[in-house]
Amino acid sequence: ILSWHNQIGPICDAGYLVVVPDQRGYNTSSKPDGAAHYATSILAKDAVSLIDHFKRRESESATVMGILSILCKFIFWFVILIVSIPIVLIGYSYGTYLTFSLEPSFLSNEPVSIKTNGPLVWKRIKTNGMVLNTIICGEDTPDKTMVLMLHGFPESGILSWHNQIGPICDAGYLVVVPDQRGYNTSSKPDGAAHYATSILAKDAVSLIDHFKRRDAVVIGHDWGGVIAWRVAHEYPERVNRLCILNAPNAWGFRNLGIPELVDQIFRSSYVLLFNVPGLAEYILARDDFFAMKSLFRAVGNGNQTFSKDYVKMHTEMLRNTNSLTPMLNYYRGMITETKKRDLQQKNFADDFDHLGNQRRSTQFSNSTRICQRLQRCKN
């Protein structure tokens, strides 16, 4: 009660059954003798037993409803898949990308402010055959650790990280924030094959090379997180720390149970739309990017998280820099690359499952180094 007294009432009033135990050893709950009785595995069983206690007669009906829910979702998405496959194939064969006629003009006019005591510059950096519009904050001296910040969809470097750049820079780091390929006025190669995650990871590593660093703290959000995972996978020696926001490790999906997998397929269904050239662009761009604006309102609790001016900056970037199709190519490149990396992912995931055992594969050393580096993270 001392820990949760401020939260119990509001959660209860919201319609939930709230159960707050004094765990074993605390207050007047049981206090078995010996440290062995307080292992986390046993404490976890205490929690599960409480859940069982309050299930009562609901467990059987919940199981039946769960099975029916899974069956309905499976039938629904099976039909959607069958219908979508020919649409995707036709789209790739005959579809045309929606483009805009305006010339790129959204570059470094400081659409949002960055508060920092360090030097702040914009540069066009050539890396991995691309030119990336990049924000650099802090003195580029050998003693400073580089922090590479990778944005997600459908943002840009400054719009995604403007609140974080200054504090990290002022903490003594060299902060590098690129507009990734396809975004803003960075290079936009044609074709989904140029946006495979393995290539995007090389862009990130090439930036680390550009600043002559052995490694860097890599921070990624959304698609930036996907790319950050790939950097850690293929170039573990180049990652000093790995910080991921809203981007689960793709190799973890192999361990999902059927209910979780079906639910994830449901949540990721928009990827099918994004893989239909022309149609996806039309839907997202029509009515002055109404769908994109709705996306920001949906994930940002109305206009509380993202102001109207902030959302307007995003739509102006899309309109003025022909970024929409390249941004969608991240999803299309992911699909085209999937088969090529299946075996490599399997080996990598197996290594995480068997660290500490005698089993080894070609990716074992990389996996070990990643785990060692992740164990060093304190924040």
Side-chain angles (χ1 to χ4, degrees), residues 23-24 38-51:
Q23 300 191 69
R24 64 167 65 190
Y38 296 87
T40 54
S41 58
I42 296 176
L43 299 173
K45 287 182 181 178
D46 288 349
V48 173
S49 296
L50 276 173
I51 297 173

Side-chain angles (χ1 to χ4, degrees), residues 255-276:
N255 296 320
L256 290 178
I258 292 178
E260 294 86 359
L261 183 60
V262 172
D263 183 62
Q264 186 58 51
I265 291 173
F266 177 81
R267 294 174 183 271
S268 301
S269 57
Y270 64 92
V271 175
L272 284 175
L273 170 63
F274 286 180
N275 269 273
V276 183

Side-chain angles (χ1 to χ4, degrees), residues 138-147 172-176 205-217 237-238:
E139 295 285 353
D140 185 7
T141 56
D143 61 306
K144 286 198 171 184
T145 299
M146 175 178 166
V147 175
Y173 294 90
L174 172 67
V175 182
V176 178
V205 173
S206 295
L207 277 173
I208 299 174
D209 291 336
H210 175 85
F211 288 92
K212 297 181 173 59
R213 295 302 199 275
R214 182 185 65 181
D215 55 28
V217 176
E237 70 283 355
R238 310 306 302 274

Side-chain angles (χ1 to χ4, degrees), residues 1 5 44 55 108 114 123 128 152 167 170 183 187 192 202-204 252-253 268 274 278 333 335 340 344 352 377:
I1 187 170
H5 63 279
K55 277 186 176 180
S108 58
I114 298 176
K123 285 188 178 180
N128 196 27
D170 294 342
Y183 282 81
S187 297
K202 287 182 181 178
D203 288 351
F253 287 106
S268 301
F274 286 180
I335 297 298
K340 296 179 182 179
Q344 187 179 24
F352 271 104
C377 296

